[in-house]
Amino acid sequence: MQYGVAYYPEHKTREELQQDLKLLKESGINTVRMGEFAWCKMEPKPGDYRFDWLDEVVTELGEAGIKSIICTPTACPPAWLVYAHPEVLYVDNRGEARPFGGRRFYCYNNPVYREYSRKITEEIGRHFGRNPFVSGFQIDNEPAQEASGRCHCPACKSKFQKYMEVKYKTIEEYNKRSGNIFWGQDYNSFDQINPPVNTIEVSAEQTLPVYFENPTLRLEFERFASDSQIEYQNIQADILHQYSDYPVTTNGTGLATNSIDYYKSTKNLDVYGFDFYPGLRDAAVDSFPYAFARGVKDGKAFWVMEFMSGGGHRFCGSGRVQPNPGALKQAVIQSYAHGADMMLHFQFRTFPFGAEQLNYAIVDMDGIPRRRYYEMQETARILNQLKAYEHAEFVNEIAVCVDYDVHWALRIKPVNDPDFNYLDYAGRMYNLLEDAGYNADVIGYDADFSGYKFLVIPSAFIADRRFQEKLRRYVDNGGILLSTFLTSAKNEDNVGYTDSLPAGLNDVFGVTVEEVEPVFETNRTKLKLNLGNAVLESSDGMWSDLLEGNAKAIGTYTQDYKTGAMAVSEHTYGKGTSCYLGTDVDDESMMHLFAYFCEKAGIEKNPVCPKKKVEVIHRRQDGVDYYYVINFTAKNTSLLLEEPMEDVLNHCTYQQEVPLDRNGFALLKRIDSQLRFTANP
């Protein structure tokens, strides 16, 4: 694993630089990331490229065994560029152009900005592309962050109009498919179309909150803006690939903070990279982003370009508290266990100035190493011990499926807002599977489903005919499919189906949705689940679909006018089985429901018994099963075993339970796995 920090030599005096380099070389890390905000230092005036200051650091660290990730600095254009070409400035949905200052104030579609970005990227590629002390490149920094992903400048408006014309061919076709006749919104030509006033962009301000715009237009603008960001990124990626064989990535933020479709954006990148800032004080680190990251490029290892390093953000109450001793180490091992091939803390030393001054870091402003630095040293040593297991594979037979069109559509016209959040709900499905003793992958709608025995598809709100047919084939060929309320309600144009719901899939699920409503505290209704030998009582949540059809009712309402109505179905279709979950149920009931279908699918539970806030991650190498166990309970605990296990790091064997320290972890080896796989190939 490439392990290290983000570092900013452009900030340093000669004395500070030498002090930092000494600490970096003694830390045991093997990677630093540099340069993402240093355009004014790399090119102080047009065409005057200077990398000598960075060369010195790359060489000194490289000779000590520390490789560098070099970033293109296009997140922060220099003042000379902006004042010579003010047309490159970002214009938000209010029509406000952002002035120079801060970061991410450029338009990603502006041809002038693209040309200057191309030039600086080419110089970086030419200069560092074959440097033996460089191990990769990062493009830009957190694309579309700080509400900079939905530009409304004249260049974007014109390009969006052309995008719509290319897609729909005629304005009559667009009017028909979008239902523009509603409220008399038909257009006469594509040049009458403006980007939508409303936006789902995080932190953006709505100037006309009751200005209702066509949902098709809004979804198309989300797609257009995402594609434009990807197009801008790929200008740089193509150049870097021309000059270097080192891997190229960028750093996303969350699954959808910046509303870029990562499944598309990483096709021209060598690895998916993202930033992650979880709390580390008596808190479990959600592994859903890791599972998502692993699925973005079909199971390939991912990079975490920025990760928590400590507390004390701005020395005030709005920041993160300090991690427990051992929590940094634990979190890094967890990321490694989930498939990370790089983990870089943000950042090495606290900034004394600028917008992020007094921020958390591995080393404080005074440059004196303390517990976070020493914990990083210890983490580096443990990663070396784990190197022998870095090629262990994931062998999960369950997948949770997510989609960006669904996310965007449910943000444009929310359902039961704010209680229901699509990506949060998908994450809940993933985490409850884990709590029930099963590991899952997270994949997109275009992924290959054939390798999975059990698919969980939360709220496939948008499902085109092609995707409906893909689900039909999956079940027909023997797969087990669980889909939830709000399945197949709209087509790819963000227009509701006039078929009975779930549209195009009534035969697969054996049900028709007869009635729907959101679920609030005031109208929660009880239901009963009949799962083989288990009968459970729950209440509904978030949404309620009343179902009719020839499917078997395994969940039935027991209260109010809904008494006797089917809420959860099970249906045989072809060689497979489908389940339509018409509402949300409590955690315990959901885990029983998952276990019920996993048993039908022949999916084995982990032999390490699940426990709340203790994560178990299954990997396999050379026919041997390994289990990383991570203790997030904020206290010493133990985990029951169904069979003896060998502790790889502590070189001992546990017969019935494994002890785990607070913020502790273990790597367990299944002793009989080789025999088992020989007997049952």
Side-chain angles (χ1 to χ4, degrees):
M1 187 178 186
Q2 300 172 80
Y3 179 52
V5 293
Y7 186 57
Y8 300 87
E10 67 270 24
H11 298 174
K12 306 299 180 180
T13 65
R14 174 57 60 178
E15 180 183 33
E16 290 171 336
L17 184 61
Q18 290 308 309
Q19 181 187 22
D20 285 352
L21 291 177
K22 180 178 182 295
L23 289 175
L24 285 166
K25 287 186 285 187
E26 293 173 353
S27 67
I29 64 171
N30 57 25
T31 306
V32 296
R33 186 196 70 167
M34 298 185 288
E36 74 268 31
F37 302 130
W39 195 341
C40 65
K41 183 88 168 177
M42 294 177 176
E43 190 181 7
K45 57 184 180 181
D48 180 15
Y49 300 103
R50 300 183 184 183
F51 301 111
D52 54 319
W53 59 276
L54 189 52
D55 287 331
E56 293 177 11
V57 179
V58 169
T59 300
E60 184 167 343
L61 290 174
E63 289 175 344
I66 301 173
K67 296 289 185 76
S68 293
I69 301 294
I70 302 298
C71 306
T72 66
T74 50
C76 289
W80 59 258
L81 192 163
V82 173
Y83 285 103
H85 298 283
E87 69 272 20
V88 307
L89 291 171
Y90 181 91
V91 177
D92 68 16
N93 60 304
R94 304 167 302 165
E96 295 287 333
R98 294 192 179 156
F100 176 81
R103 64 177 181 177
R104 310 219 55 82
F105 47 84
Y106 68 80
C107 170
Y108 42 83
N109 276 322
N110 184 274
V112 173
Y113 195 71
R114 288 189 170 194
E115 178 60 17
Y116 277 102
S117 298
R118 185 191 65 76
K119 289 178 180 178
I120 187 67
T121 302
E122 189 163 37
E123 292 298 324
I124 288 172
R126 184 182 293 117
H127 191 88
F128 292 105
R130 304 295 176 189
N131 189 312
F133 300 136
V134 170
S135 61
F137 294 94
Q138 175 187 300
I139 294 168
D140 205 89
N141 185 80
E142 297 185 339
Q145 190 75 335
E146 283 96 41
S148 64
R150 301 295 178 263
C151 185
H152 285 61
C153 76
C156 288
K157 176 182 174 181
S158 176
K159 192 170 181 177
F160 179 52
Q161 292 168 345
K162 183 65 176 176
Y163 166 91
M164 296 292 281
E165 185 173 8
V166 168
K167 179 166 185 176
Y168 288 95
K169 305 296 190 296
T170 68
I171 197 66
E172 291 78 14
E173 177 70 6
Y174 172 62
N175 285 333
K176 180 180 72 173
R177 285 172 57 180
S178 64
N180 276 329
I181 190 60
F182 187 83
W183 284 358
Q185 292 177 4
D186 276 359
Y187 294 97
N188 302 109
S189 63
F190 286 103
D191 59 13
Q192 293 176 341
I193 296 176
N194 289 309
V197 172
N198 288 293
T199 180
I200 63 173
E201 192 163 47
V202 176
S203 301
E205 294 182 19
Q206 310 290 3
T207 53
L208 297 169
V210 293
Y211 185 71
F212 299 106
E213 295 172 292
N214 185 287
T216 302
L217 177 75
R218 291 195 59 189
L219 181 58
E220 290 294 6
F221 189 66
E222 291 300 312
R223 291 167 172 160
F224 161 77
S226 175
D227 287 351
S228 296
Q229 296 273 357
I230 296 167
E231 186 180 79
Y232 172 71
Q233 161 204 285
N234 286 344
I235 291 171
Q236 299 188 44
D238 289 343
I239 292 169
L240 293 170
H241 284 139
Q242 178 185 345
Y243 285 99
S244 181
D245 295 328
Y246 298 139
V248 176
T249 190
T250 188
N251 57 331
T253 53
L255 277 67
T257 305
N258 51 18
S259 288
I260 296 174
D261 185 335
Y262 291 139
Y263 292 115
K264 290 183 179 180
S265 72
T266 55
K267 289 185 184 300
N268 196 34
L269 300 177
D270 300 293
V271 62
Y272 171 58
F274 73 109
D275 298 345
F276 192 24
Y277 286 90
L280 298 179
R281 178 72 158 267
D282 295 337
V285 177
D286 185 9
S287 62
F288 182 60
Y290 293 142
F292 171 85
R294 201 170 59 242
V296 168
K297 291 186 74 68
D298 298 323
K300 189 174 180 179
F302 55 88
W303 289 359
V304 182
M305 309 305 293
E306 296 182 16
F307 189 77
M308 270 289 289
S309 60
H313 182 51
R314 290 186 292 146
F315 283 6
C316 68
S318 65
R320 299 174 181 87
V321 295
Q322 289 285 359
N324 294 329
L328 284 177
K329 176 172 58 178
Q330 179 191 57
V332 173
I333 301 306
Q334 180 200 25
S335 74
Y336 176 84
H338 277 286
D341 190 44
M342 180 182 293
M343 170 69 85
L344 304 178
H345 295 293
F346 183 83
Q347 72 276 22
F348 181 63
R349 186 166 171 178
T350 297
F351 304 133
F353 43 60
E356 296 185 85
Q357 67 176 174
L358 311 185
N359 210 331
Y360 37 80
I362 292 294
V363 175
D364 296 320
M365 278 185 296
D366 58 11
I368 297 174
R370 296 183 174 90
R371 75 167 166 98
R372 295 189 302 276
Y373 175 85
Y374 297 121
E375 191 167 319
M376 186 173 75
Q377 278 186 322
E378 172 63 16
T379 304
R381 285 193 290 270
I382 293 173
L383 288 171
N384 281 329
Q385 289 180 261
L386 293 172
K387 186 173 176 60
Y389 310 99
E390 64 184 355
H391 298 299
E393 298 176 332
F394 292 89
V395 288
N396 298 327
E397 299 174 302
I398 308 169
V400 178
C401 300
V402 296
D403 181 71
Y404 279 94
D405 277 353
V406 174
H407 163 69
W408 289 330
L410 285 167
R411 293 286 293 116
I412 289 166
K413 288 188 72 67
V415 170
N416 197 0
D417 190 44
D419 288 349
F420 178 70
N421 178 291
Y422 167 66
L423 289 175
D424 287 350
Y425 190 65
R428 179 169 175 261
M429 300 292 99
Y430 167 86
N431 286 310
L432 287 175
L433 278 163
E434 188 175 79
D435 289 345
Y438 304 96
N439 290 128
D441 291 334
V442 178
I443 60 176
Y445 282 12
D446 289 334
D448 181 2
F449 293 168
S450 63
Y452 296 100
K453 294 181 178 179
F454 182 27
L455 282 185
V456 178
I457 304 189
S459 302
F461 198 44
I462 287 184
D464 61 21
R465 297 302 187 188
R466 180 183 59 86
F467 185 63
Q468 293 168 7
E469 184 57 31
K470 185 175 182 178
L471 295 181
R472 175 175 286 102
R473 287 196 308 271
Y474 172 77
V475 180
D476 190 33
N477 289 333
I480 293 183
L481 170 66
L482 185 153
S483 198
T484 79
F485 54 91
L486 301 177
T487 289
S488 200
K490 289 185 176 184
N491 67 16
E492 64 271 28
D493 297 325
N494 206 15
V495 170
Y497 280 113
T498 55
D499 314 27
S500 296
L501 303 184
L505 294 169
N506 306 101
D507 56 337
V508 175
F509 290 105
V511 298
T512 295
V513 176
E514 294 291 300
E515 190 173 299
V516 303
E517 69 174 357
V519 174
F520 309 107
E521 284 301 320
T522 54
N523 68 324
R524 290 179 72 97
T525 310
K526 292 180 180 179
L527 63 133
K528 181 181 291 185
L529 292 174
N530 290 277
L531 306 175
N533 296 325
V535 178
L536 304 133
E537 291 189 351
S538 180
S539 62
D540 59 8
M542 295 195 210
W543 191 259
S544 172
D545 286 345
L546 300 188
L547 310 176
E548 287 282 350
N550 59 1
K552 177 183 178 182
I554 58 172
T556 307
Y557 277 106
T558 60
Q559 190 180 19
D560 200 28
Y561 76 91
K562 297 180 181 180
T563 298
M566 186 185 342
V568 188
S569 67
E570 180 183 350
H571 186 61
T572 299
Y573 181 83
K575 298 176 183 177
T577 302
S578 65
C579 170
Y580 191 96
L581 179 61
T583 188
D584 188 39
V585 294
D586 62 55
D587 289 358
E588 193 68 27
S589 298
M590 190 70 78
M591 287 191 288
H592 276 281
L593 186 66
F594 286 149
Y596 174 76
F597 284 108
C598 284
E599 186 175 340
K600 283 181 175 290
I603 299 171
E604 182 185 68
K605 270 189 179 183
N606 287 329
V608 184
C609 300
K611 190 173 190 177
K612 201 71 174 174
K613 291 193 174 183
V614 179
E615 186 174 18
V616 180
I617 305 133
H618 178 204
R619 305 279 295 269
R620 184 176 295 154
Q621 183 168 293
D622 299 327
V624 179
D625 288 313
Y626 293 89
Y627 300 89
Y628 290 87
V629 289
I630 318 286
N631 177 20
F632 291 118
T633 64
K635 60 185 179 182
N636 294 347
T637 190
S638 62
L639 209 56
L640 294 177
L641 303 174
E642 293 186 353
E643 60 189 63
M645 293 271 184
E646 179 184 333
D647 187 322
V648 169
L649 294 175
N650 291 319
H651 308 290
C652 62
T653 299
Y654 301 114
Q655 297 297 324
Q656 295 179 320
E657 62 179 352
V658 52
L660 292 168
D661 293 338
R662 179 181 182 181
N663 295 111
F665 53 87
L667 174 57
L668 305 178
K669 177 181 177 181
R670 194 171 192 174
I671 297 171
D672 73 339
S673 55
Q674 284 181 307
L675 296 174
R676 190 166 51 85
F677 281 106
T678 301
N680 300 288

